[in-house]
Amino acid sequence: MRLLIMGPPGAGKGTQAVHIAQRLSVPHISTGDLFRANLTEGTSLGLEAKKYMDAGEYVPDSVTNGMVRDRLKQADAAQGFLLDGYPRTVAQVAELDGMLAGNNIDKVIVLTADADEVVTRLLHRAEEQGRADDTEEVIRRRLEVYAEQTAPLIDLYAARGILVEVGGMGSVEQVTNNIFAELHV
Ligand code: ADP
């Protein structure tokens, strides 16, 4: 199974992705996690990405596309994966199509959430985890960037007939169950 998960910041993508990937025994590939791991290791890619992440902006494609391409080439992704946080722009959709070379995405899960609720959730996460991009100002910018650049992907994947939309507002377990009910796996 080749899956994508998308949704606004704070919708619970990362949390759900871990559960889904575990149940389906596919690797969970999160671009946000890859950037943060690079930053922890102090790589030049990590330092470059940090400038954008801290401002709530998307990291340039010149950095992001190559990182995803390398990750998808690893052996564990050959039979399937759950990609979280990529693609985030129409241009990245075309890049991903190229990387997959015909082994197309089976389903795209979209987690929906209302804006006030996600801001509350992210501010709460800021208190618990101290992520640099979880300040109110940066959260608002991330939501704007999502609406402008990533939300259009919903229609794009709907037109391909592979979109699965699930409300992200219940308990973690409820949302996971709803996702599996919709995925039919
Ligand atoms: P969230 O979805 O909650 O904003 P992520 O951990 O998925 O958090 O991503 C954190 C940041 O990493 C994003 O705000 C962005 O700066 C960067 N990022 C992640 N994926 C991409 C991508 N596909 N293209 C560009 N930037 C990305």
Side-chain angles (χ1 to χ4, degrees):
M1 264 246 149
R2 294 183 178 80
L3 299 173
L4 306 183
I5 187 162
M6 54 180 285
K13 275 179 304 140
T15 306
Q16 291 301 327
V18 170
H19 290 286
I20 299 163
Q22 233 166 33
R23 257 210 239 180
L24 297 177
S25 301
V26 293
H28 168 215
I29 302 176
S30 155
T31 45
D33 288 351
L34 289 172
F35 286 133
R36 284 184 287 274
N38 269 280
L39 190 56
T40 305
E41 289 162 20
T43 70
S44 55
L45 187 153
L47 293 171
E48 177 67 14
K50 179 178 164 51
K51 294 192 263 177
Y52 298 92
M53 294 171 77
D54 285 355
E57 305 295 337
Y58 286 166
V59 179
D61 281 0
S62 54
V63 177
T64 308
N65 289 334
M67 181 181 77
V68 174
R69 188 182 296 277
D70 288 346
R71 181 63 188 87
L72 289 180
K73 274 190 204 148
Q74 288 175 27
D76 66 338
Q79 299 308 319
F81 50 79
L82 173 60
L83 200 45
D84 164 4
Y86 188 93
R88 265 180 151 100
T89 63
V90 173
Q92 289 181 2
V93 171
E95 279 291 326
L96 178 63
D97 288 342
M99 290 176 210
L100 295 177
N103 295 317
N104 288 334
I105 296 298
D106 296 296
K107 297 273 184 205
V108 177
I109 303 158
V110 179
L111 281 183
T112 58
D114 67 69
D116 288 343
E117 175 69 23
V118 300
V119 175
T120 309
R121 279 189 183 184
L122 289 170
L123 288 173
H124 182 71
R125 182 171 77 185
E127 278 171 26
E128 291 192 335
Q129 298 178 8
R131 242 175 73 166
D133 59 350
D134 278 345
T135 64
E136 182 148 10
E137 193 192 343
V138 176
I139 290 167
R140 300 234 175 254
R141 181 62 194 147
R142 281 158 61 206
L143 286 167
E144 262 173 30
V145 174
Y146 178 84
E148 282 165 17
Q149 301 201 43
T150 306
L153 274 55
I154 295 174
D155 284 348
L156 192 155
Y157 283 119
R160 295 187 186 183
I162 55 174
L163 196 77
V164 170
E165 233 171 329
V166 178
M169 291 291 99
S171 70
V172 171
E173 202 191 347
Q174 249 162 21
V175 176
T176 310
N177 289 339
N178 292 343
I179 291 171
F180 277 96
E182 295 285 332
L183 280 180
H184 308 295
V185 289

